[in-house]
Every structure is written in structure tokens, then in C-alpha cells.
């Protein structure tokens, strides 16, 4: 369990540092690496659902990074595919209210990651983090709530830093 927690802390550090940046350059790639570490964290803990959902999230982030310069139609199709994949995975793993929040986060983040740019990308990621915080609170996970709250704070700081630096439009 020590290794799993170390991997989780590393994933949190990567995510927070990515969200604190004042530029979106490489943001999705760095976030994808952080989420991949979270997938490994949950896998090491034996939490199949958490591992699978985070692995899909990491794949979505990495695919969105690679497709950033692709035509809008291709990015839209990829976003829809990842959104539907996330919803299907969530519904296959559970069907409580908290699971529906995860499905909503999956749809929102897939669309934002493939289609949004600049400050809208950051704001969409923050909305997704807000849904993850609601999920963590509903399932009673104080560690996940604290980690997500920290990511939300880092994201807000990063967004303010972007706007002050004049990079909020890129």
C-alpha cells in the first residue's frame, strides 16, 4: 500500500503543477501523465473501477493532446467517442447518483479537452474537477476530496496566472 500511496502522491503533484502553469502548452499531455499515475495508484490498491476510469481519462487527455491540430470534425468525433466510452464504463461499473456524476464529468471533460482552448479549456477542466469533488464527497472519500480540492485551487491559481500573463486566449 505504501507504493500505491507514493504513486498517488506523485500523480497529485504532477496534476497540481500542471494546473498551476500559466500556459496551456503541453497541459493535456502533463495532465494525462498525472491521471495515468492515478490509474496506477488505483490499480495498485485493487480498485478496478478507479483504475479503469482513470486509464480512460488518461487516454482521452493524451489523445486530445495529439489531436490538438486536427480538423474540428475529427476532434468532435473523438470527443463523442471518449464521452460515450466514459458513460458506458461508468454505467457498467455502477448506477448510483454518484456514478451519474462521474458520467457527467466524463462527457464534460471529453468535450472540453478536444474542443476548448485558452481560458475556456481551463474553466472546463475546473468544472470537471468540481464534479469529481462532488463525487468524492458523495462516496465519503476525504483523501480524494482533499486532493480534488487542491487541484481545484491550483486550477484557479493557474487560470488567474494565465489571465495576468495574457496567455488566456491560446
Amino acid at each position: 500500500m505504501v507504493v500505491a500511496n507514493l504513486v498517488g502522491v506523485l500523480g497529485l503533484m504532477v496534476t497540481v503543477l500542471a494546473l498551476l502553469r500559466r500556459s496551456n502548452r503541453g497541459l493535456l499531455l502533463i495532465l494525462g501523465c498525472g491521471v495515468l499515475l492515478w490509474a496506477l495508484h488505483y490499480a495498485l490498491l485493487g480498485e478496478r473501477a478507479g483504475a479503469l476510469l482513470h486509464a480512460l481519462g488518461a487516454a482521452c487527455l493524451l489523445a486530445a493532446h495529439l489531436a490538438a491540430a486536427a480538423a474540428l470534425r475529427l476532434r468532435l468525433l473523438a470527443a463523442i467517442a471518449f464521452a460515450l466510452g466514459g458513460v458506458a464504463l461508468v454505467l457498467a461499473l455502477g448506477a448510483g447518483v454518484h456514478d451519474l456524476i462521474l458520467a457527467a464529468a466524463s462527457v464534460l471533460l471529453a468535450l472540453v479537452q478536444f474542443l476548448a482552448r485558452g481560458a475556456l479549456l481551463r474553466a472546463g477542466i475546473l468544472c470537471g474537477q468540481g464534479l469529481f469533488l462532488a463525487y468524492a464527497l458523495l462516496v465519503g472519500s476525504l483523501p480524494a476530496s482533499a486532493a480534488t480540492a487542491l487541484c481545484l485551487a491550483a486550477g484557479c491559481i493557474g487560470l488567474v496566472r494565465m489571465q495576468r500573463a495574457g496567455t488566456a486566449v491560446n
Side-chain angles (χ1 to χ4, degrees), residues 11 26 33 35-36 82 131 139:
C33 293
V35 173
L36 192 57
F82 274 104
L131 290 171
V139 299

Side-chain angles (χ1 to χ4, degrees), residues 5-160:
N5 286 329
L6 288 174
V7 170
V9 168
L10 184 58
L12 177 60
M13 288 172 40
V14 169
T15 304
V16 166
L17 291 174
L19 291 171
L20 282 172
R21 297 172 68 234
R22 62 180 166 209
S23 167
N24 280 352
R25 175 174 247 140
L27 177 69
L28 298 177
L29 176 64
I30 298 167
L31 286 175
C33 293
V35 173
L36 192 57
L37 287 167
W38 279 107
L40 179 59
H41 164 76
Y42 286 115
L44 290 169
L45 289 176
E47 292 294 325
R48 192 184 77 168
L52 290 172
L53 287 167
H54 282 81
L56 180 64
C60 182
L61 282 158
L62 296 173
H65 169 74
L66 293 172
L72 177 60
R73 177 178 284 176
L74 179 63
R75 293 192 334 263
L76 180 60
L77 290 173
I80 291 169
F82 274 104
L84 291 176
V87 169
L89 187 57
V90 166
L91 293 177
L93 297 172
V97 171
H98 58 284
D99 297 310
L100 297 176
I101 291 173
L102 278 182
S106 174
V107 170
L108 171 69
L109 287 171
L111 292 171
V112 164
Q113 290 161 6
F114 277 97
L115 303 175
R117 301 285 185 262
L120 184 58
L121 173 64
R122 292 288 184 115
I125 289 171
L126 289 175
C127 289
Q129 288 290 324
L131 290 171
F132 287 138
L133 179 59
Y135 170 79
L137 290 169
L138 280 174
V139 299
S141 174
L142 293 179
S145 298
T148 306
L150 184 59
C151 289
L152 271 167
C156 289
I157 292 167
L159 187 57
V160 168

